[in-house]
């Protein structure tokens, strides 16, 4: 019988795109799940590392990149910075679920109390990639939630839109505070379309 470690190595998902994470421990954890090029930003180090920025732009243009930073404020800030420095190439945003806890190697939890990529269970990480559509070379276009769909559902452009988005985030364990576009990206990366519409239905049925 194979040990758990051996099974994880055998079970790796082959990813064509280059994956961007924050730190070396994130890379170690992710390496147990995927067979791919993984680049670390070294946290906020990416803000002043021109060589690393050039490398990320190179991969974005040639293989496309997947951004998988933590779900806290710092992670979102790094994610947005990467998107701002890449002008050519395809970017896929994947998000880990918002789970509160502490990584085993740390003596105290992070400032926001959320687990980073390194603290997420490998099966959960695997699920993030499997639901993203990346393994099938992108989902059919009709399966994507669009910005227009968001508007038609009242999730953007309406006085109550912000409240509805927060309710969706709470029900689907999505990091609160994502921009509308980032929320759409998250849903298309991590949430099944039918599950999304089930939550919409629940929210509307609870509305007086």
């Amino acid at each position: 019988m194979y040990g758990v470690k051996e099974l994880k190595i055998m079970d790796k998902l082959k990813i064509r795109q280059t994956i961007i994470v924050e730190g070396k421990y994130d890379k170690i954890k992710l390496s147990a799940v995927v067979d791919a090029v993984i680049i670390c930003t070294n946290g906020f180090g990416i803000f002043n590392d021109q060589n690393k920025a050039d490398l990320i732009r190179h991969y974005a243009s040639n293989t496309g990149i997947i951004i998988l930073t933590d779900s806290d404020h710092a992670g979102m800030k790094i994610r947005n910075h990467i998107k701002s420095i890449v002008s050519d190439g395809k970017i896929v945003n994947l998000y880990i679920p918002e789970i509160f806890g502490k990584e085993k190697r740390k003596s105290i939890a992070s400032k926001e109390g959320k687990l980073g990529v390194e603290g997420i269970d490998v099966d959960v990480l695997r699920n993030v990639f499997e639901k993203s559509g990346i393994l099938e070379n992108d989902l059919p276009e009709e399966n994507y939630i669009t910005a227009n769909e968001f508007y038609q559902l009242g999730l953007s452009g309406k006085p109550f839109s912000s409240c509805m988005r927060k309710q969706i985030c709470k029900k689907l364990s999505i990091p609160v505070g994502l921009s509308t576009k980032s929320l759409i990206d998250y849903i298309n990366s991590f949430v099944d379309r039918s599950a999304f519409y089930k939550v919409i239905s629940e929210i509307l049925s609870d509305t007086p």
Side-chain angles (χ1 to χ4, degrees), residues 28-189:
I28 291 170
K29 173 57 73 69
L30 195 57
S31 294
V33 179
V34 302
D35 179 5
V37 174
I38 304 174
I39 295 176
C40 301
T41 69
N42 296 320
F44 288 147
I46 186 63
F47 284 53
N48 300 306
D49 191 335
Q50 188 58 51
N51 291 331
K52 185 67 66 69
D54 289 341
L55 183 63
I56 289 174
R57 281 191 284 264
H58 169 78
Y59 277 112
S61 297
N62 288 275
T63 66
I65 60 173
I66 297 169
I67 306 177
L68 187 67
T69 54
D70 296 349
S71 292
D72 56 10
H73 178 73
M76 295 302 171
K77 190 172 182 179
I78 293 169
R79 182 185 297 272
N80 290 332
H81 176 73
I82 294 171
K83 290 192 287 187
S84 74
I85 64 174
V86 175
S87 58
D88 180 35
K90 184 173 182 180
I91 298 176
V92 175
N93 285 285
L94 294 187
Y95 300 85
I96 59 173
E98 189 176 65
I99 300 174
F100 289 86
K102 179 184 72 66
E103 283 81 8
K104 292 181 179 179
R105 70 179 180 86
K106 296 180 179 178
S107 57
I108 59 173
S110 66
K111 183 178 180 180
E112 295 177 33
K114 301 174 185 177
L115 291 177
V117 171
E118 68 166 286
I120 299 297
D121 185 82
V122 291
D123 290 331
V124 175
L125 283 176
R126 183 184 180 89
N127 198 38
V128 169
F129 284 89
E130 289 180 334
K131 285 193 172 183
S132 70
I134 292 172
L135 304 182
E136 291 76 33
N137 296 318
D138 296 329
L139 290 168
E141 187 173 345
E142 62 269 18
N143 285 336
Y144 283 112
I145 303 298
T146 66
N148 182 58
E149 210 167 347
F150 244 50
Y151 177 77
Q152 295 298 327
L153 291 168
L155 296 171
S156 64
K158 307 290 175 61
F160 52 82
S161 296
S162 177
C163 181
M164 283 190 67
R165 291 197 300 272
K166 287 180 181 178
Q167 290 182 67
I168 287 176
C169 290
K170 183 177 180 180
K171 285 180 176 289
L172 293 174
S173 297
I174 294 174
V176 177
L178 295 178
S179 66
T180 300
K181 184 179 184 307
S182 293
L183 179 56
I184 293 173
D185 287 342
Y186 185 106
I187 290 169
N188 283 327
S189 298

